[in-house]
Amino acid sequence: MLETINLSKTFKDKKAVDDVNLYVNKGESVGLLGPNGAGKSTTISMISSLLKPTSGDVLFNGNSIIKNPAEIRRVLGVVPQEIALYEELSAHENLNFFGEIYKISKGDLESRIQEVLEMVGLQHRQKELIKTFSGGMKRRINIAAALLHQPKVLILDEPTVGIDPQSRNHILETVRKLNEQYETSILYTSHYMEEVEQLCDRVYIMDHGSIVASGNKSELLSILSNDDTFHVQLSKRSEKLIDAVRLIKDVRQVDETENGLRIIAKKRSHFLSTLVHGAEKEGVEIIHFQMEIPSLEDVFLHLTGKSLRD
Amino acid sequence: MLAVFKAQLKKDVRKPVTIIVFMVVSILATLIFGNSTFGKPPTVPVFSTEPNGKEIEEKWIHLLKDSEALNFVLTEEEGALEDVASGKSSVAIKLMENDYRIITASNNSIVPFVEQEIHTIFSEEAQLQAVVGEEDTTKIRKVVESYLENPPLQAEVKSVSGGEIPKHDMGTQLLFVFTLFAAMFTIGFKVNGINEDKVNGIWNRLILSPVTKTNMYVGHLLYSFCIGFFQISVVLLLFQYVLKFELGDLRLIMMVAAIYTLSIVSLAMLISGFLRTPEKFNMVFTSFIPMIPVVSGLYMPPGTVSNPILLFIADLFPLKHAAEAMLNITLYNASWNDISLTVAILLLIFVIYMGIGINLVERRRG
């Protein structure tokens, strides 16, 4: 449905986006993940036809939107990172304004306004001025404004930045509903890993303007090495036990922690019985044993060498 | 376009304070400066320290009071000197039997004027005294005055159209200047709405909608024009019908006001083109605009500013042209033909500044 081909953007000498290739299928929810300055916003500005790429193309249903932006604009909803609303107007007046610019007929406009207000859960506050709203409520109206013309593709640029958990959950629920019930294709940018894990079928990880990895969650997790990490809490420290564990086949690394050991071993290795026997022999009690489950955050760290919120 | 226009209007209906403040400021400034400082002749305190001071004061104040250009008032020496020292009066006059002294704290522009006025009065009295000798000059003065009422040689100065040459009215000049000047701020802040929409993302939403870019600009600029013209119209109508100022052909004045408003919209657009953010616009616009009437010499009587560089700079801005056209309509009954050149200049400013402004704004986006 929506595809970028070798999309690049250079500002003066700085390459903000470098050969980005991504696609969003009909009804699919795709996440674009990356730290601040990774090039996410520039990429979606080009996808939404607001910014001309230096090179490459964006195809919508096989047609270039660089040459003919009108085609995508008709069916595209964009939720910008900023609160793109008139603070001095009420929620209803803002939606009425955006409905008018989308040339929604007067007969349909009021029902559409009520529909989107209900969707974001702010029907009861529609007469109040935007400037009196909390950050989260403003973001919900910001989303509602992008939904008035029933877009087939919705691009959300970090829609949950700096808001309260209640509004955040509401926004995530709204996006999920749009995707599941209305089959709206979603391109969701964020630097909150858990949101992307929760919402998206597939994820693109971006860093320094390039896509560094892509796929569904399990595909991305498989990027991580073939090792598992274990945390063992022991009743006391034993040098002999550490040496014994180091000698176990398939154990790659043993580190001492505050109250035990951190063991990195090859996936599906059978070292547990040797560890238990060794501990018994040295008179050490195993208090707690836990396998570390890798997250997308670890994948990101592995790929970029930095945390998402850096 | 209509949606953009309506949204701006709703914002101002909800928060009309800016427009009201600028309207009130232009009215108050005209009333305060137009009627007091510039409307009335300057006051000059006079006193005498001679032994027969009372007699001298009585003799001269009677003659000095005839002056239309200056308002001479009798004061104690101490009060007069204090007024000059504190700057309340630019000059004071110390009267003597047949002479005077001008007391001033600085050699400002009023001193030669006072000197000329008082010198004429004293010279006249000296001439009459020379004719009558020791006698009182009252009688001979009356004779001379009645003779001069119907002199053998009479010169009459008439305007080009044959009527009397009207006196330049500083109050009316300031009325137009303050009204047009205050409107510049209102218009500028409204045009800055485009920058605000761009920064907060509303402009991008409009670009993605079926509204064309031309309609987006027209919606904003038309609203800025309407609100600016509304402000000027309300102030001028108030002066004409409530405060009873004689403004002359109001329809023609309104036409000039409309064209002036258009050119200010363009000027604001041009400034927008050079500045990236609404905050920068507000900062630069509010610092830059107050200089225009000063450079144009519009707070002073015509002809005061003669520096060719300042005059050239003044010509680049619509304020001077519009104020001059309005004054010509009010004071000299100028017709459409008389002001057509000024109107053409204003329209030229509108076209050039708008063209450059929009191009700069769009280029900056690209």
Side-chain angles (χ1 to χ4, degrees):
Chain A
M1 188 180 196
L2 187 61
E3 190 181 358
T4 70
I5 298 164
N6 300 331
L7 200 61
S8 299
K9 182 72 188 177
T10 307
F11 294 108
K12 289 184 184 166
D13 295 334
K14 195 180 181 305
K15 205 153 199 180
V17 175
D18 190 7
D19 271 346
V20 165
N21 291 290
L22 60 82
Y23 67 92
V24 182
N25 287 326
K26 192 180 175 212
E28 198 182 17
S29 177
V30 173
L32 187 57
L33 204 61
N36 290 327
K40 304 185 300 285
S41 294
T42 309
T43 303
I44 62 166
S45 287
M46 289 190 283
I47 293 173
S48 54
S49 78
L50 286 169
L51 191 65
K52 276 194 178 159
T54 310
S55 63
D57 207 348
V58 181
L59 303 181
F60 178 65
N61 290 334
N63 301 317
S64 167
I65 68 150
I66 311 294
K67 288 175 190 149
N68 180 21
E71 196 185 341
I72 195 169
R73 285 179 183 178
R74 273 201 309 272
V75 294
L76 179 70
V78 175
V79 180
Q81 215 175 102
E82 318 86 39
I83 306 292
L85 301 167
Y86 286 121
E87 295 261 320
E88 301 86 353
L89 302 187
S90 69
H92 187 279
E93 285 166 339
N94 266 288
L95 295 175
N96 195 69
F97 166 67
F98 289 114
E100 281 183 6
I101 63 164
Y102 271 98
K103 301 194 189 308
I104 299 170
S105 70
K106 274 195 176 157
D108 294 339
L109 183 54
E110 189 51 39
S111 61
R112 277 302 300 154
I113 291 173
Q114 295 310 323
E115 210 174 303
V116 294
L117 279 169
E118 196 188 341
M119 218 179 269
V120 297
L122 286 171
Q123 220 169 1
H124 60 295
R125 307 284 299 264
Q126 59 182 292
K127 298 286 174 206
E128 292 173 38
L129 301 186
I130 294 293
K131 65 179 174 192
T132 63
F133 281 12
S134 69
M137 284 156 67
K138 284 178 186 174
R139 289 213 170 267
R140 280 147 76 180
I141 296 294
N142 210 27
I143 293 176
L147 302 178
L148 279 165
H149 62 294
Q150 295 170 302
K152 288 189 170 63
V153 180
L154 184 65
I155 297 177
L156 299 103
D157 189 5
E158 307 204 11
T160 58
V161 169
I163 61 170
D164 57 285
Q166 192 196 349
S167 287
R168 193 177 177 196
N169 287 339
H170 217 295
I171 287 172
L172 297 181
E173 204 45 54
T174 306
V175 176
R176 198 201 317 273
K177 203 197 282 182
L178 279 165
N179 181 234
E180 286 172 6
Q181 290 182 7
Y182 300 93
E183 286 200 325
T184 309
S185 304
I186 308 277
L187 180 58
Y188 190 98
T189 83
S190 178
H191 57 239
Y192 293 117
M193 188 68 73
E194 58 278 18
E195 287 181 2
V196 173
E197 283 193 58
Q198 215 177 315
L199 281 176
C200 301
D201 306 322
R202 282 189 304 114
V203 180
Y204 288 92
I205 296 179
M206 241 185 131
D207 193 33
H208 294 303
S210 305
I211 302 283
V212 290
S214 65
N216 57 33
K217 191 178 170 182
S218 58
E219 283 168 345
L220 285 171
L221 290 177
S222 71
I223 291 171
L224 284 177
S225 68
N226 293 323
D227 298 338
D228 282 331
T229 304
F230 302 90
H231 292 274
V232 188
Q233 193 182 339
L234 302 171
S235 59
K236 61 178 184 186
R237 186 179 179 279
S238 165
E239 198 64 48
K240 282 185 179 173
L241 178 63
I242 295 169
D243 291 339
V245 176
R246 279 195 178 125
L247 291 174
I248 300 171
K249 192 189 163 199
D250 293 341
V251 169
R252 296 188 195 280
Q253 194 179 327
V254 180
D255 298 318
E256 268 193 84
T257 60
E258 203 181 326
N259 47 16
L261 302 174
R262 179 169 167 269
I263 304 168
I264 299 174
K266 199 177 162 187
K267 267 190 194 328
R268 295 180 198 88
S269 58
H270 301 93
F271 72 95
L272 195 57
S273 56
T274 319
L275 173 71
V276 173
H277 284 128
E280 269 177 6
K281 198 176 161 190
E282 298 302 326
V284 179
E285 194 184 339
I286 296 174
I287 297 167
H288 189 76
F289 183 87
Q290 190 184 9
M291 190 173 118
E292 193 179 284
I293 298 163
S295 67
L296 286 179
E297 187 90 38
D298 298 314
V299 177
F300 190 85
L301 197 63
H302 173 77
L303 289 169
T304 66
K306 58 189 167 189
S307 153
L308 259 173
R309 286 167 189 81
D310 279 353
Chain B
M1 182 191 85
L2 200 62
V4 176
F5 186 97
K6 270 169 32 190
Q8 306 311 311
L9 180 63
K10 262 187 198 161
K11 273 161 57 184
D12 276 336
V13 167
R14 193 142 292 152
K15 208 176 162 191
V17 68
T18 317
I19 301 158
I20 293 170
V21 162
F22 283 119
M23 275 187 197
V24 171
V25 163
S26 58
I27 293 169
L28 283 181
T30 306
L31 292 177
I32 294 166
F33 298 109
N35 278 343
S36 60
T37 314
F38 295 103
K40 290 176 185 169
T43 299
V44 179
V46 295
F47 63 92
S48 177
T49 51
E50 301 295 300
N52 56 340
K54 277 266 174 273
E55 219 174 280
I56 293 170
E57 282 173 359
E58 259 173 45
K59 174 191 169 188
W60 287 113
I61 196 70
H62 170 69
L63 299 172
L64 293 170
K65 280 283 183 196
D66 286 344
S67 168
E68 284 178 6
L70 294 166
N71 178 30
F72 293 96
V73 285
L74 274 179
T75 326
E76 292 297 317
E77 181 193 11
E78 206 177 307
L81 295 179
E82 204 178 290
D83 281 355
V84 172
S86 66
K88 269 189 200 168
S89 303
S90 300
V91 289
I93 306 293
K94 182 181 176 184
L95 298 170
M96 289 172 278
E97 186 71 50
N98 293 308
D99 204 354
Y100 60 90
R101 293 283 179 276
I102 293 178
I103 297 155
T104 182
S106 64
N107 191 14
N108 58 52
S109 60
I110 202 170
V111 177
F113 179 60
V114 174
E115 158 69 8
Q116 190 190 356
E117 192 75 6
I118 202 160
H119 180 79
T120 310
I121 295 164
F122 271 76
S123 303
E124 226 171 64
E125 184 61 15
Q127 283 165 2
L128 294 175
Q129 200 71 60
V131 172
V132 297
E134 290 299 306
E135 283 178 40
D136 185 16
T137 55
T138 319
K139 226 175 188 176
I140 186 79
R141 179 180 295 281
K142 274 183 185 164
V143 174
V144 171
E145 276 171 4
S146 78
Y147 179 76
L148 285 176
E149 270 171 24
N150 199 10
L153 203 63
Q154 290 188 30
E156 202 176 351
V157 183
K158 285 193 170 182
S159 72
V160 181
S161 55
E164 264 185 48
I165 291 184
K167 225 174 96 182
H168 183 79
D169 183 1
M170 205 56 207
T172 310
Q173 178 179 326
L174 289 177
L175 183 164
F176 290 132
V177 172
F178 286 132
T179 306
L180 299 177
F181 174 61
M184 285 171 94
F185 285 97
T186 310
I187 297 165
F189 293 147
K190 295 304 148 199
V191 172
N192 196 25
I194 295 176
N195 287 334
E196 282 164 10
D197 280 5
K198 281 183 177 170
V199 168
N200 65 24
I202 291 176
W203 195 258
N204 279 347
R205 281 202 152 144
L206 297 176
I207 287 175
L208 293 174
S209 76
V211 176
T212 63
K213 212 172 238 186
T214 310
N215 279 341
M216 287 152 60
Y217 276 114
V218 171
H220 268 284
L221 299 179
L222 183 66
Y223 178 73
S224 308
F225 167 80
C226 288
I227 204 74
F229 185 60
F230 169 76
Q231 182 182 321
I232 295 173
S233 305
V234 168
V235 175
L236 291 180
L237 290 174
L238 263 174
F239 274 110
Q240 171 92 345
Y241 295 110
V242 180
L243 300 166
K244 303 290 179 198
F245 275 58
E246 269 306 321
L247 297 184
D249 189 344
L250 202 59
R251 270 184 308 178
L252 208 51
I253 286 180
M254 287 300 185
M255 201 176 285
V256 174
I259 297 164
Y260 165 78
T261 310
L262 274 178
S263 61
I264 293 298
V265 169
S266 290
L267 176 66
M269 198 65 215
L270 178 71
I271 296 171
S272 278
F274 289 112
L275 306 165
R276 278 179 181 276
T277 62
E279 291 78 17
K280 272 187 192 165
F281 179 93
N282 281 339
M283 193 182 72
V284 172
F285 195 76
T286 48
S287 322
F288 167 72
I289 291 300
M291 288 192 282
I292 297 175
V294 179
V295 168
S296 312
L298 290 169
Y299 295 141
M300 292 162 268
T304 312
V305 173
S306 55
N307 182 310
I309 296 167
L310 292 183
L311 291 175
F312 172 74
I313 294 169
D315 278 338
L316 298 176
F317 298 102
L319 184 63
K320 180 195 159 194
H321 305 291
E324 272 178 10
M326 287 181 172
L327 268 176
N328 285 337
I329 295 166
T330 302
L331 298 179
Y332 308 112
N333 284 326
S335 66
W336 175 250
N337 281 341
D338 300 327
I339 59 161
S340 56
L341 180 65
T342 313
V343 168
I345 293 170
L346 287 173
L347 286 172
L348 194 67
I349 290 175
F350 163 66
V351 173
I352 293 173
Y353 289 4
M354 184 62 79
I356 299 172
I358 290 185
N359 266 299
L360 285 175
V361 169
E362 284 301 307
R363 193 170 294 181
R364 204 180 59 204
R365 273 188 73 81

